[in-house]
Amino acid sequence: MTGGAGCFTTTRASGGRVWQARRHAERLVRDARLLGLGELDLASCLRELDALAAVTRDGARTIVRLEVRRDDGGSLRLVGSQRAWSDDPPCWRAATSALVHPGATPTSRAKSTERALYAAALEAARAVGADEALLFDAAGCLVEGARTNLVVA
């Protein structure tokens, strides 16, 4: 695979099914378009997610990741992977990151494979015993977590 931004989705699978598979596939199609990667076939995304979930038909649980990138020839490729599903801790600790989030951009809605900022923030948070890093923009507004979604009520 070539360098450059791709997009991805990550979700849980159990009982032979990916949780909200259609929603994840639709996000991949949207994000590929938003990042200028081109048009992605929704049915292909759904088939790949289904194939990744097949290992859970015997009652196993897994986390699946489906990534979209251009290969060396310039064609769009779906690359699936799995990792162990571990239960989250009952109580999370978060640390404020010293790294500044760039804030909203035309492509910030996309779940991009360019993750260096998030990886560095999460590494620093884990070094102080936290599970998550909270990222703020230059104005001091909370933007997102390094590995989680945030809902502030």
Side-chain angles (χ1 to χ4, degrees), residues 27-50:
R27 177 173 47 199
L28 279 175
V29 170
R30 180 202 71 197
D31 290 356
R33 188 178 303 123
L34 186 62
L35 292 172
L37 294 170
E39 292 301 315
L40 192 59
D41 180 54
L42 180 64
S44 296
C45 294
L46 288 167
R47 279 192 302 275
E48 185 63 29
L49 287 169
D50 186 54

mmCIF file of all heavy atoms in Angstrom, residues 27-50:
data_model
loop_
_atom_site.group_PDB
_atom_site.id
_atom_site.type_symbol
_atom_site.label_atom_id
_atom_site.label_comp_id
_atom_site.label_asym_id
_atom_site.label_seq_id
_atom_site.Cartn_x
_atom_site.Cartn_y
_atom_site.Cartn_z
ATOM 1 N N ARG A 27 -20.150 5.053 6.399
ATOM 2 C CA ARG A 27 -19.132 6.022 6.807
ATOM 3 C C ARG A 27 -17.873 5.857 5.960
ATOM 4 O O ARG A 27 -17.256 6.837 5.562
ATOM 5 C CB ARG A 27 -18.782 5.884 8.291
ATOM 6 C CG ARG A 27 -17.658 6.858 8.658
ATOM 7 C CD ARG A 27 -17.303 6.958 10.097
ATOM 8 N NE ARG A 27 -17.154 5.700 10.754
ATOM 9 C CZ ARG A 27 -17.200 5.570 12.079
ATOM 10 N NH1 ARG A 27 -17.427 6.615 12.840
ATOM 11 N NH2 ARG A 27 -17.023 4.404 12.628
ATOM 12 N N LEU A 28 -17.467 4.617 5.675
ATOM 13 C CA LEU A 28 -16.294 4.404 4.828
ATOM 14 C C LEU A 28 -16.497 5.012 3.443
ATOM 15 O O LEU A 28 -15.596 5.659 2.900
ATOM 16 C CB LEU A 28 -15.990 2.909 4.696
ATOM 17 C CG LEU A 28 -15.244 2.271 5.840
ATOM 18 C CD1 LEU A 28 -15.129 0.763 5.609
ATOM 19 C CD2 LEU A 28 -13.871 2.881 6.026
ATOM 20 N N VAL A 29 -17.673 4.805 2.864
ATOM 21 C CA VAL A 29 -17.970 5.361 1.544
ATOM 22 C C VAL A 29 -17.901 6.888 1.603
ATOM 23 O O VAL A 29 -17.276 7.531 0.752
ATOM 24 C CB VAL A 29 -19.350 4.870 1.049
ATOM 25 C CG1 VAL A 29 -19.785 5.630 -0.198
ATOM 26 C CG2 VAL A 29 -19.314 3.373 0.785
ATOM 27 N N ARG A 30 -18.538 7.483 2.618
ATOM 28 C CA ARG A 30 -18.533 8.941 2.781
ATOM 29 C C ARG A 30 -17.116 9.471 2.980
ATOM 30 O O ARG A 30 -16.704 10.443 2.348
ATOM 31 C CB ARG A 30 -19.401 9.334 3.983
ATOM 32 C CG ARG A 30 -19.460 10.839 4.228
ATOM 33 C CD ARG A 30 -19.842 11.187 5.645
ATOM 34 N NE ARG A 30 -18.733 10.864 6.551
ATOM 35 C CZ ARG A 30 -18.875 10.744 7.867
ATOM 36 N NH1 ARG A 30 -20.035 10.863 8.445
ATOM 37 N NH2 ARG A 30 -17.815 10.476 8.622
ATOM 38 N N ASP A 31 -16.342 8.829 3.871
ATOM 39 C CA ASP A 31 -15.003 9.314 4.182
ATOM 40 C C ASP A 31 -14.048 9.174 3.010
ATOM 41 O O ASP A 31 -13.204 10.042 2.786
ATOM 42 C CB ASP A 31 -14.454 8.615 5.425
ATOM 43 C CG ASP A 31 -15.164 9.032 6.703
ATOM 44 O OD1 ASP A 31 -16.039 9.930 6.649
ATOM 45 O OD2 ASP A 31 -14.849 8.454 7.760
ATOM 46 N N ALA A 32 -14.172 8.089 2.237
ATOM 47 C CA ALA A 32 -13.324 7.922 1.048
ATOM 48 C C ALA A 32 -13.579 9.065 0.072
ATOM 49 O O ALA A 32 -12.644 9.640 -0.496
ATOM 50 C CB ALA A 32 -13.591 6.576 0.384
ATOM 51 N N ARG A 33 -14.830 9.425 -0.091
ATOM 52 C CA ARG A 33 -15.189 10.540 -0.974
ATOM 53 C C ARG A 33 -14.652 11.852 -0.413
ATOM 54 O O ARG A 33 -14.056 12.649 -1.129
ATOM 55 C CB ARG A 33 -16.709 10.602 -1.121
ATOM 56 C CG ARG A 33 -17.196 11.581 -2.162
ATOM 57 C CD ARG A 33 -18.719 11.566 -2.303
ATOM 58 N NE ARG A 33 -19.232 10.248 -2.626
ATOM 59 C CZ ARG A 33 -20.152 9.599 -1.880
ATOM 60 N NH1 ARG A 33 -20.674 10.163 -0.818
ATOM 61 N NH2 ARG A 33 -20.568 8.400 -2.236
ATOM 62 N N LEU A 34 -14.846 12.080 0.876
ATOM 63 C CA LEU A 34 -14.419 13.321 1.530
ATOM 64 C C LEU A 34 -12.904 13.522 1.442
ATOM 65 O O LEU A 34 -12.425 14.631 1.250
ATOM 66 C CB LEU A 34 -14.867 13.297 2.996
ATOM 67 C CG LEU A 34 -14.647 14.550 3.831
ATOM 68 C CD1 LEU A 34 -15.432 15.726 3.267
ATOM 69 C CD2 LEU A 34 -15.070 14.286 5.269
ATOM 70 N N LEU A 35 -12.150 12.429 1.574
ATOM 71 C CA LEU A 35 -10.688 12.517 1.513
ATOM 72 C C LEU A 35 -10.152 12.514 0.083
ATOM 73 O O LEU A 35 -8.941 12.563 -0.125
ATOM 74 C CB LEU A 35 -10.054 11.362 2.305
ATOM 75 C CG LEU A 35 -10.252 11.411 3.814
ATOM 76 C CD1 LEU A 35 -9.765 10.118 4.465
ATOM 77 C CD2 LEU A 35 -9.561 12.617 4.425
ATOM 78 N N GLY A 36 -11.050 12.459 -0.894
ATOM 79 C CA GLY A 36 -10.620 12.483 -2.292
ATOM 80 C C GLY A 36 -10.055 11.170 -2.779
ATOM 81 O O GLY A 36 -9.351 11.127 -3.785
ATOM 82 N N LEU A 37 -10.369 10.089 -2.089
ATOM 83 C CA LEU A 37 -9.876 8.775 -2.501
ATOM 84 C C LEU A 37 -10.668 8.224 -3.677
ATOM 85 O O LEU A 37 -10.183 7.389 -4.416
ATOM 86 C CB LEU A 37 -9.940 7.786 -1.331
ATOM 87 C CG LEU A 37 -9.022 8.092 -0.152
ATOM 88 C CD1 LEU A 37 -9.354 7.194 1.029
ATOM 89 C CD2 LEU A 37 -7.571 7.923 -0.563
ATOM 90 N N GLY A 38 -11.902 8.662 -3.817
ATOM 91 C CA GLY A 38 -12.749 8.195 -4.908
ATOM 92 C C GLY A 38 -13.989 7.508 -4.396
ATOM 93 O O GLY A 38 -14.288 7.518 -3.198
ATOM 94 N N GLU A 39 -14.714 6.901 -5.333
ATOM 95 C CA GLU A 39 -15.971 6.232 -5.000
ATOM 96 C C GLU A 39 -15.708 4.792 -4.575
ATOM 97 O O GLU A 39 -14.975 4.072 -5.225
ATOM 98 C CB GLU A 39 -16.921 6.258 -6.202
ATOM 99 C CG GLU A 39 -17.428 7.648 -6.532
ATOM 100 C CD GLU A 39 -18.185 8.299 -5.381
ATOM 101 O OE1 GLU A 39 -19.033 7.631 -4.761
ATOM 102 O OE2 GLU A 39 -17.926 9.488 -5.115
ATOM 103 N N LEU A 40 -16.339 4.423 -3.498
ATOM 104 C CA LEU A 40 -16.207 3.092 -2.924
ATOM 105 C C LEU A 40 -17.562 2.413 -3.005
ATOM 106 O O LEU A 40 -18.599 3.055 -2.790
ATOM 107 C CB LEU A 40 -15.764 3.251 -1.470
ATOM 108 C CG LEU A 40 -15.281 2.055 -0.699
ATOM 109 C CD1 LEU A 40 -14.081 1.421 -1.376
ATOM 110 C CD2 LEU A 40 -14.899 2.478 0.709
ATOM 111 N N ASP A 41 -17.592 1.145 -3.290
ATOM 112 C CA ASP A 41 -18.827 0.386 -3.417
ATOM 113 C C ASP A 41 -19.327 -0.049 -2.036
ATOM 114 O O ASP A 41 -18.629 -0.762 -1.306
ATOM 115 C CB ASP A 41 -18.581 -0.835 -4.307
ATOM 116 C CG ASP A 41 -19.807 -1.678 -4.482
ATOM 117 O OD1 ASP A 41 -20.853 -1.150 -4.882
ATOM 118 O OD2 ASP A 41 -19.714 -2.891 -4.192
ATOM 119 N N LEU A 42 -20.525 0.408 -1.669
ATOM 120 C CA LEU A 42 -21.112 0.079 -0.376
ATOM 121 C C LEU A 42 -21.245 -1.431 -0.187
ATOM 122 O O LEU A 42 -20.917 -1.961 0.885
ATOM 123 C CB LEU A 42 -22.478 0.755 -0.226
ATOM 124 C CG LEU A 42 -23.222 0.496 1.081
ATOM 125 C CD1 LEU A 42 -22.465 1.058 2.267
ATOM 126 C CD2 LEU A 42 -24.628 1.080 1.010
ATOM 127 N N ALA A 43 -21.704 -2.137 -1.205
ATOM 128 C CA ALA A 43 -21.887 -3.585 -1.100
ATOM 129 C C ALA A 43 -20.561 -4.295 -0.815
ATOM 130 O O ALA A 43 -20.521 -5.258 -0.043
ATOM 131 C CB ALA A 43 -22.530 -4.134 -2.372
ATOM 132 N N SER A 44 -19.477 -3.813 -1.407
ATOM 133 C CA SER A 44 -18.154 -4.415 -1.152
ATOM 134 C C SER A 44 -17.751 -4.234 0.309
ATOM 135 O O SER A 44 -17.197 -5.143 0.926
ATOM 136 C CB SER A 44 -17.098 -3.794 -2.056
ATOM 137 O OG SER A 44 -17.373 -4.082 -3.394
ATOM 138 N N CYS A 45 -18.027 -3.053 0.852
ATOM 139 C CA CYS A 45 -17.716 -2.797 2.261
ATOM 140 C C CYS A 45 -18.519 -3.728 3.167
ATOM 141 O O CYS A 45 -17.980 -4.303 4.126
ATOM 142 C CB CYS A 45 -18.012 -1.347 2.631
ATOM 143 S SG CYS A 45 -16.975 -0.149 1.806
ATOM 144 N N LEU A 46 -19.798 -3.884 2.869
ATOM 145 C CA LEU A 46 -20.648 -4.761 3.678
ATOM 146 C C LEU A 46 -20.187 -6.218 3.596
ATOM 147 O O LEU A 46 -20.161 -6.923 4.609
ATOM 148 C CB LEU A 46 -22.105 -4.633 3.241
ATOM 149 C CG LEU A 46 -22.782 -3.320 3.628
ATOM 150 C CD1 LEU A 46 -24.096 -3.147 2.883
ATOM 151 C CD2 LEU A 46 -22.978 -3.241 5.137
ATOM 152 N N ARG A 47 -19.800 -6.667 2.406
ATOM 153 C CA ARG A 47 -19.300 -8.042 2.255
ATOM 154 C C ARG A 47 -18.023 -8.249 3.064
ATOM 155 O O ARG A 47 -17.842 -9.287 3.716
ATOM 156 C CB ARG A 47 -19.041 -8.360 0.781
ATOM 157 C CG ARG A 47 -20.287 -8.750 0.013
ATOM 158 C CD ARG A 47 -19.954 -9.334 -1.350
ATOM 159 N NE ARG A 47 -19.174 -8.443 -2.196
ATOM 160 C CZ ARG A 47 -19.693 -7.495 -2.970
ATOM 161 N NH1 ARG A 47 -21.002 -7.318 -3.023
ATOM 162 N NH2 ARG A 47 -18.920 -6.736 -3.715
ATOM 163 N N GLU A 48 -17.115 -7.275 3.022
ATOM 164 C CA GLU A 48 -15.859 -7.411 3.757
ATOM 165 C C GLU A 48 -16.110 -7.427 5.268
ATOM 166 O O GLU A 48 -15.493 -8.201 5.994
ATOM 167 C CB GLU A 48 -14.893 -6.289 3.379
ATOM 168 C CG GLU A 48 -13.517 -6.421 4.005
ATOM 169 C CD GLU A 48 -12.754 -7.659 3.589
ATOM 170 O OE1 GLU A 48 -12.949 -8.157 2.475
ATOM 171 O OE2 GLU A 48 -11.929 -8.133 4.402
ATOM 172 N N LEU A 49 -17.000 -6.560 5.745
ATOM 173 C CA LEU A 49 -17.336 -6.567 7.175
ATOM 174 C C LEU A 49 -17.945 -7.909 7.571
ATOM 175 O O LEU A 49 -17.617 -8.458 8.634
ATOM 176 C CB LEU A 49 -18.287 -5.419 7.512
ATOM 177 C CG LEU A 49 -17.664 -4.029 7.507
ATOM 178 C CD1 LEU A 49 -18.750 -2.958 7.587
ATOM 179 C CD2 LEU A 49 -16.650 -3.871 8.643
ATOM 180 N N ASP A 50 -18.816 -8.449 6.726
ATOM 181 C CA ASP A 50 -19.418 -9.753 6.997
ATOM 182 C C ASP A 50 -18.355 -10.842 7.061
ATOM 183 O O ASP A 50 -18.386 -11.710 7.943
ATOM 184 C CB ASP A 50 -20.459 -10.078 5.924
ATOM 185 C CG ASP A 50 -21.212 -11.356 6.230
ATOM 186 O OD1 ASP A 50 -21.769 -11.469 7.348
ATOM 187 O OD2 ASP A 50 -21.256 -12.250 5.357
#
